[in-house]
Structure formats: structure tokens, C-alpha cells
Amino acid sequence: MGPNKHEAIYDSTQAVKTGTTIMAAVYDGGVVMGADSRTSTGNYVANRVTDKITSLAENIYICRSGSAADTQAISDYVRHFLHQHSIQMEEMPEVKTAANLAMQLVYGNKNNLQAGLIVAGWDKQNGPSVWAIPLGGTLLNVPFTIGGSGSAYIYGWCDSEWKPNMTQEECEAFVVKSVGLAIARDGSSGGMVRTLTINKDGVKRGLYRGDEIPRGYDELPGGSRMETN
């Protein structure tokens, strides 16, 4: 008897991965983070509404790509260490402190982890900042960064469209459009676009469904949305 026709689609032994598009950008006064919501196991979509933007502290968040288990474990460790640090310092932690903790965990275990991360947030000492931690554990302070499998499709777009000192509205639109374009072209990215805006006033989340994401010029027009009772 031949192999089951479903074996090529779903293999339970494969790691659950956030084959993904993640990004973050600094604007005048804060940062905007964005990510798609698809989690896959091989060719099987394990979760289509994943939240890949995880809290590390009240003012600091992390975008996760790579192995879901690895990135969740790193996030838990960093959150624990930051909590201890903030108690000792009696103030909210700095974004660069969280980024350095994540970098040391990734770099120190780079042969065993598959994790590409973006740490971003706002603190009173340095204001808004974005830190990129690609595979291997390099740490870069950048004005904007993209990661995950979908990032290869939008490097040119992001280099062309990003500009310094954007307003909050311009930066949010830039992030949503960028992740939307990656979703349209990358088979491992999909679902919705989740955003997170962080500034001195706090945190604001955004959620954009498929019919609310700006379309590329080469995409087919969407049909009418099915209404349910």
C-alpha cells in the first residue's frame, strides 16, 4: 500500500516554525512593529492567527521568526531577567538592555537555536529604538529592520519607502503595506497583519484582515466578503 496522500502535506515530526514576515520602524516619537499571523509545520498551516509580537516589559516588545519553540523560550527568559532587573533598578528597563539579553541567549546557543528576532520599544533614557538580532546572534541598532522568509520580497520596497522622522500615521501605513506585500508573495507568510505602536503614551495594537491590507498592483481584486450570522 502506497503512502498516505496527506503525508506530504503534514508531518507531525517537523518543527513548528513561524515562517514569517516581521518588521519594526522608528518614527518621530515612537516605534511601529508589524508581523503576519501564519505559523506553519512543513507545508501545513498550523495556526493562521498567531501573535508574533510578544511583550517583554510594559515598554518593550519582541518580534519572533524561526522556530516557534526556540523564540518563545527566549522571550520567556528575557522577560524573566528584565523583571528581576527592573526590580533591582526600581524603574522600567531600557530597550537596549532587553536587546542585549536576547542577543546573548541567541549567540550563546547559536548552534542549537533557529531564531531571528527584533526587539523594539521606548524608554525615557533613549526614546524609541529598534534592535535587529538575525540568525547567529548579531545585534544591530537600526532605524528600521525586516526579517523572516517574507523579508526577501520587500527589501527594495522598504529601502525606497522608508524615511526618517515619519509621523505615527505614516509609519503605521508603511509597516502595514510592507507586510502586506510580503504576504502576497511569500507562501510562508499569510493571515492578517498585526501591528504594535509604542511611544511615551503607551502601547496601541492594530489588526488588519486580508481584505483591509493594501493590495499590490499585480494582485487579483478580492471578491465580496462572506457574511456570517
Side-chain angles (χ1 to χ4, degrees), residues 115-158:
L117 308 170
I118 301 172
V119 178
W122 183 95
D123 59 66
K124 64 181 181 180
Q125 292 85 357
N126 306 293
S129 60
V130 170
W131 299 81
I133 309 172
L135 295 172
T138 302
L139 181 63
L140 300 168
N141 182 208
V142 289
F144 82 94
T145 186
I146 55 179
S149 58
S151 64
Y153 297 87
I154 57 172
Y155 270 103
W157 160 265
C158 292

Side-chain angles (χ1 to χ4, degrees), residues 49-162:
V49 290
T50 306
D51 187 357
K52 303 174 185 177
I53 309 176
T54 303
S55 173
L56 298 178
E58 183 178 331
N59 58 322
I60 307 169
Y61 282 71
I62 186 170
C63 282
R64 303 177 293 108
S65 69
S67 165
D70 291 350
T71 58
Q72 287 170 356
I74 292 169
S75 300
D76 289 342
Y77 274 113
V78 174
R79 188 183 305 109
H80 172 69
F81 293 145
L82 280 181
H83 180 64
Q84 291 182 319
H85 176 70
S86 63
I87 292 173
Q88 293 174 341
M89 299 298 292
E90 297 183 344
E91 63 180 6
M92 297 301 295
E94 296 182 36
V95 181
K96 66 180 180 182
T97 301
N100 272 279
L101 285 170
M103 176 272 292
Q104 292 184 38
L105 287 169
V106 174
Y107 184 79
N109 301 277
K110 61 184 177 182
N111 293 326
N112 302 309
L113 297 177
Q114 186 178 15
L117 308 170
I118 301 172
V119 178
W122 183 95
D123 59 66
K124 64 181 181 180
Q125 292 85 357
N126 306 293
S129 60
V130 170
W131 299 81
I133 309 172
L135 295 172
T138 302
L139 181 63
L140 300 168
N141 182 208
V142 289
F144 82 94
T145 186
I146 55 179
S149 58
S151 64
Y153 297 87
I154 57 172
Y155 270 103
W157 160 265
C158 292
D159 286 339
S160 173
E161 295 299 316
W162 183 85

Side-chain angles (χ1 to χ4, degrees), residues 13-30:
T13 63
Q14 294 191 47
V16 177
K17 298 181 179 180
T18 55
T20 185
T21 303
I22 56 175
M23 72 178 298
V26 175
Y27 70 88
D28 186 17

Side-chain angles (χ1 to χ4, degrees), residues 171-202:
C171 194
E172 289 174 348
F174 166 64
V175 169
V176 173
K177 179 69 172 178
S178 299
V179 177
L181 289 172
I183 286 174
R185 290 161 175 78
D186 176 35
S188 295
S189 300
M192 304 175 290
V193 176
R194 295 184 184 272
T195 63
L196 187 84
T197 302
I198 312 171
N199 53 39
K200 62 181 179 64
D201 298 321

